[in-house]
Amino acid sequence: MLSELRIENFAIIQTLEVNFSSGLVTLTGETGAGKSIILDAIQTVIGGRADPTMIRAGASRALVEATFRLGSPPPIALMDLLKNEDLLDDPDTLILGRELRREGRSSARINGRSASLNLLREVGSYLVDIHGQSEHLSLLNIHSHLDLLDRFARVDAPLSAYRKCYDQFSALRRELAALRQAEADAERRTDLLSYQLREIESAHLKPGEEISLRQERDRLANAENLSSLAQQALVILDDGSPEAPALTDQIGLVEQALASLARIDSSQENLSEQAQAVSELLSDLGRSLRDYLENIEFNPRRLEQLEDRLDLLHKLQRKYGGNVDAVLAFAENARRELETIAHASERIAELETRETSLLSELAMLAKVLSEKRHSAAQLLEKAVEKELADLSMNGARFGVDFRTQPAPDGLPIESGVSVAYDSTGCDRVEFLIAPNPGEGLKPLVKIASGGETSRLMLALKNVLAQADAVPTLIFDEIDQGIGGRVGMMVGEKLWQLGRRHQVLCVTHLPQLAVFGDQHYAVRKLVESGRTQTRLELLTGESRLDELALMLGQVNEVNRRTAQETLITARNRTAQLKV
C-alpha cells in the first residue's frame, strides 16, 4: 500500500507530505483545489507521462517520492523483478522517486538508485491501479476484457500450458516457413552455395597461414638487405679490420686479463665468469648469424608465388569475411546449408507430422481454456449483476460475449471450422450491458453513461478483488453522474473493497466520503501572493464541518445531516464486519 507521499514544486503544490492509512482514504475539496494534481503526482511517480509544464512556476525542478509498504506476503512477481534488477533492499518497503527538470530531462529512482522509466513503469504497475474520471480504461478498452475475465477465472495453469505449446508451435511454423522458402529457392541457392564452397575449398586455406606467408614474403623481398646486415654483424664479431679488431678477439683479451686477476684476487672470480659467459654468448651469436646467412634465399619465383597466394587470400576475404578464419566459417555455414537443402524434404515431412500433432494439442488446450472461461463468465455475470443491484441498478444485466473468428489455418476446435488464435487462445471477449430492464445487451463502450460506467467499474472491482493483486486502487471522482442515495451504496462498496486493498477516492459526495477510514480535505490557499495546495487530515468536528460544506454550507442543519450520515455509514460498516 501507499504509505507516504512527498511532493515538491509540482503544479501548484510547493511542498506536501502526507501519510496514508490502509482501507478507504477519501479526498474532498472544492473544484480546482488540487485533488487531481495529487493523483497526477502519483501517476508520475509510478512511471506516467510527465513534462516540464508540471513544474511549479519559478522552480527549476519538481520531485515526487512515494513509499510503499509491501505487506506479507509481498507480490512474488514484483519481488522477482526487483531481485533481477538488484534493487531489493527491504522486502517490506519500496521507495519510488521521479524528478522533473525545467530543461526537459527527468530521472527515476527505485530505492534511491537510478532506474529506467520503463522499469519504473513496470514496478508501478504492480503497486497502483488508477481509474480516472473519464477513462475507466479497464472497461472501455475491449482488449482488456479477456484479461479481467482470466483474473476472475484464475486460469493461470491452463493459460501457461497453452502458451508453452503456442510458443513451440509458433517456432515450428517459423522453421517450416523457412524450409519451404529454401526449397522453393533450392536450385538457385544450391548453385550459388556450391560455387562459393568450391572456390573456398580449392584454396586449401589453413588457419593463421596469412601471418606466416607475410613473414616469408618480407624475408624474400628483403633478402639482399638482410644478407648485407648479417655479414656486417659477422665482420664486427669475427673478422675485424685494421682500424677495429674483431669483437671476439677483444673479449678474448678481456677474458684472459680477468682470469689472471681472479687468480690473484679470488674475490673477483665472478668477473672472470661473466667475461667467459660473454665470450660464449658472442660465439653463439656468430654461429646463429652464419646459419641465418646460409638460409637467406634469393628466390624471385618463390616471392611471386607468395604474392599470388596472398592476393588470393585477400580476394576470398573481401568476398566471404575479413580474415581466413571468417572465410572458413563461411564455408562451414555454406556446407551446412547445402546439407539442409539436400535434406529439406525429409525435414519438412518430419516437421509437418509434428505440426499436426502440436496443432491438435494446442486446440485441445485452447478448448480447455475456453471452457474454464465460459464457466467463469456465468459466475461473473451473476456476481456483477448482484453488485449492480446493490448500486441501485436493479434489473441491469451484465453479459460476457464470446466470439471466434474463422481462419483457414486456425485451430480446429469447432466442428468442421478452424478459428483464429493467438497467445491468449481463440476467445474474443467483450463485456456487454443492458442498464435498464427490457433492453438487449449491447457493448459497454456504446451504452453505459458516465455514472453507469463508474458503478460497473466498482462492481467489477469488488467481484475481482480476490483475484486482483494490485494493492492500491485509486478512483478519481467515481461518483460522477450519480446522486446521494446511490453514493451511499458506492461508499459502502468502496469500503468493502478497502478491506482487501488500499483504496484512494476523490469524491464530491458527502454520502460517499463518510465511509472513509481516513478523510483528507484538499485546500487551495494564497500565501505571499502564491497559490498553495494543502492537505488537512479531518477528524471529529473538522470532518463534520467538511461534510456540511459539501452539503452546501456549514450550518447546524447541514452539520446535523452530516452527523446522521456518518452514523448511518458506521452502522452499515459495523454490520458488514459481523
Side-chain angles (χ1 to χ4, degrees):
M1 57 165 274
L2 175 60
S3 59
E4 298 177 25
L5 181 66
R6 185 164 70 90
I7 305 172
E8 293 181 8
N9 298 321
F10 190 88
I12 60 172
I13 298 175
Q14 183 176 16
T15 58
L16 180 66
E17 293 188 20
V18 58
N19 296 316
F20 293 114
S21 70
S22 58
L24 173 61
V25 180
T26 54
L27 297 117
T28 61
E30 296 180 356
T31 300
K35 301 183 296 299
S36 294
I37 292 174
I38 294 171
L39 300 193
D40 288 342
I42 297 174
Q43 180 79 64
T44 298
V45 83
I46 60 172
R49 179 182 170 275
D51 59 63
T53 60
M54 295 178 172
I55 300 174
R56 181 175 168 83
S60 61
R61 68 182 188 117
L63 176 67
V64 184
E65 189 173 87
T67 301
F68 293 87
R69 291 209 310 268
L70 299 179
S72 181
I76 295 175
L78 175 59
M79 291 297 100
D80 289 343
L81 177 61
L82 293 174
K83 286 178 183 177
N84 291 337
E85 298 291 338
D86 195 25
L87 293 170
L88 184 60
D89 295 335
D90 183 348
D92 300 321
T93 304
L94 180 64
I95 301 174
L96 305 184
R98 185 88 180 271
E99 184 179 69
L100 311 180
R101 292 191 174 274
R102 180 69 67 184
E103 62 268 23
R105 292 186 297 110
S106 73
S107 59
R109 294 191 301 278
I110 299 176
N111 283 336
R113 295 193 286 280
S114 294
S116 69
L117 183 57
N118 285 337
L119 180 60
L120 182 70
R121 190 177 296 120
E122 186 175 1
V123 170
S125 69
Y126 289 106
L127 300 171
V128 180
D129 187 7
I130 299 179
H131 301 280
Q133 300 176 41
S134 60
E135 294 171 339
H136 299 299
L137 294 180
S138 296
L139 290 182
L140 298 182
N141 182 3
I142 295 174
H143 299 293
S144 71
H145 293 182
L146 180 62
D147 180 59
L148 289 169
L149 175 61
D150 281 350
R151 280 158 51 192
F152 176 77
R154 302 193 179 196
V155 293
D156 292 354
L159 183 57
S160 176
Y162 170 85
R163 282 179 172 161
K164 182 178 179 181
C165 185
Y166 173 84
D167 289 341
Q168 293 175 352
F169 186 68
S170 299
L172 182 145
R173 281 205 156 172
R174 286 193 297 271
E175 185 179 354
L176 260 178
L179 282 173
R180 286 168 177 153
Q181 182 63 42
E183 191 177 45
D185 298 336
E187 186 174 352
R188 178 187 58 80
R189 185 65 176 162
T190 298
D191 289 343
L192 175 61
L193 289 172
S194 297
Y195 169 79
Q196 293 172 330
L197 193 56
R198 282 195 305 271
E199 185 177 29
I200 295 172
E201 288 179 339
S202 65
H204 302 293
L205 301 177
K206 296 176 183 178
E209 70 168 308
E210 186 177 6
I211 296 175
S212 62
L213 289 173
R214 286 181 180 277
Q215 291 174 346
E216 185 180 359
R217 189 268 313 271
D218 291 342
R219 286 196 300 271
L220 285 172
N222 295 279
E224 184 176 348
N225 191 32
L226 294 173
S227 176
S228 174
L229 291 170
Q231 288 174 351
Q232 181 182 344
L234 276 172
V235 167
I236 296 172
L237 273 174
D238 292 339
D239 299 337
S241 66
E243 295 81 14
L247 190 56
T248 51
D249 293 340
Q250 293 294 317
I251 197 63
L253 294 174
V254 172
E255 184 181 4
Q256 292 175 8
L258 290 178
S260 299
L261 186 151
R263 282 194 293 271
I264 298 171
D265 184 357
S266 60
S267 66
Q268 300 302 314
E269 286 183 0
N270 64 318
L271 292 177
S272 176
E273 291 171 356
Q274 290 177 35
Q276 185 178 357
V278 171
S279 178
E280 291 173 356
L281 182 62
L282 289 175
S283 296
D284 290 341
L285 179 58
R287 284 192 295 270
S288 297
L289 278 171
R290 288 186 184 90
D291 291 340
Y292 179 72
L293 268 170
E294 290 177 3
N295 290 318
I296 291 177
E297 184 179 8
F298 295 88
N299 191 339
R301 184 173 180 181
R302 175 59 180 164
L303 180 59
E304 184 180 354
Q305 291 173 347
L306 289 173
E307 294 288 4
D308 290 343
R309 179 65 176 175
L310 286 169
D311 185 61
L312 174 61
L313 294 185
H314 295 160
K315 176 183 175 184
L316 292 175
Q317 289 170 11
R318 284 195 301 271
K319 293 176 69 174
Y320 304 118
N323 52 54
V324 171
D325 289 341
V327 176
L328 290 172
F330 184 95
E332 182 59 29
N333 290 334
R335 197 174 291 112
R336 280 199 298 266
E337 188 174 347
L338 280 171
E339 186 177 347
T340 299
I341 292 173
H343 297 88
S345 297
E346 297 173 13
R347 181 61 176 161
I348 287 174
E350 178 185 338
L351 290 179
E352 285 176 343
T353 300
R354 175 65 176 152
E355 179 187 30
T356 302
S357 173
L358 271 180
L359 186 64
S360 298
E361 183 181 352
L362 192 63
M364 180 193 69
L365 292 171
K367 189 173 182 180
V368 169
L369 184 60
S370 185
E371 287 172 352
K372 289 186 176 295
R373 286 169 172 165
H374 277 80
S375 297
Q378 295 177 13
L379 298 176
L380 179 64
E381 289 169 351
K382 293 177 182 178
V384 171
E385 286 177 358
K386 181 178 181 302
E387 293 286 334
L388 290 175
D390 291 343
L391 293 169
S392 297
M393 288 183 68
N394 291 303
R397 291 177 56 217
F398 175 77
V400 180
D401 179 46
F402 284 85
R403 295 186 309 279
T404 56
Q405 182 178 349
D409 58 346
L411 293 182
I413 64 169
E414 298 181 2
S415 55
V417 177
S418 294
V419 297
Y421 65 97
D422 58 20
S423 61
T424 64
C426 55
D427 296 313
R428 301 294 173 265
V429 169
E430 183 175 6
F431 292 160
L432 307 177
I433 189 172
N436 303 303
E439 296 181 1
L441 289 167
K442 293 182 180 179
L444 169 67
V445 294
K446 297 181 179 178
I447 287 295
S449 66
E452 288 164 345
T453 303
S454 299
R455 280 179 276 177
L456 182 54
M457 167 62 73
L458 184 55
L460 270 170
K461 279 294 177 184
N462 263 322
V463 172
L464 294 171
Q466 294 294 340
D468 200 337
V470 179
T472 299
L473 306 176
I474 299 178
F475 295 92
D476 188 5
E477 298 188 13
I478 195 172
D479 52 18
Q480 184 183 31
I482 61 177
R485 184 171 60 85
V486 177
M488 288 290 289
M489 291 305 305
V490 171
E492 182 179 320
K493 291 295 180 183
L494 286 173
W495 183 89
Q496 287 179 290
L497 193 57
R499 301 317 96 192
R500 294 181 288 267
H501 300 265
Q502 179 191 46
V503 180
L504 274 63
C505 179
V506 172
T507 181
H508 291 287
L509 281 179
Q511 293 86 349
L512 191 160
V514 292
F515 282 91
D517 298 292
Q518 191 180 44
H519 186 168
Y520 278 101
V522 182
R523 310 290 193 205
K524 184 166 67 173
L525 309 173
V526 178
E527 296 178 353
S528 303
R530 295 295 303 275
T531 302
Q532 309 272 6
T533 290
R534 295 278 187 269
L535 245 67
E536 178 186 353
L537 179 61
L538 303 177
T539 58
E541 294 299 314
S542 63
R543 189 177 189 187
L544 276 179
D545 287 343
E546 175 71 9
L547 294 170
L549 186 62
M550 294 173 73
L551 288 166
Q553 59 181 335
V554 180
N555 56 40
E556 285 304 313
V557 174
N558 285 340
R559 281 175 57 84
R560 189 163 51 249
T561 301
Q563 182 67 54
E564 292 170 354
T565 308
L566 269 172
I567 293 172
T568 300
R570 288 169 184 164
N571 290 337
R572 288 196 182 187
T573 56
Q575 292 172 1
L576 292 170
K577 289 178 182 178
V578 175

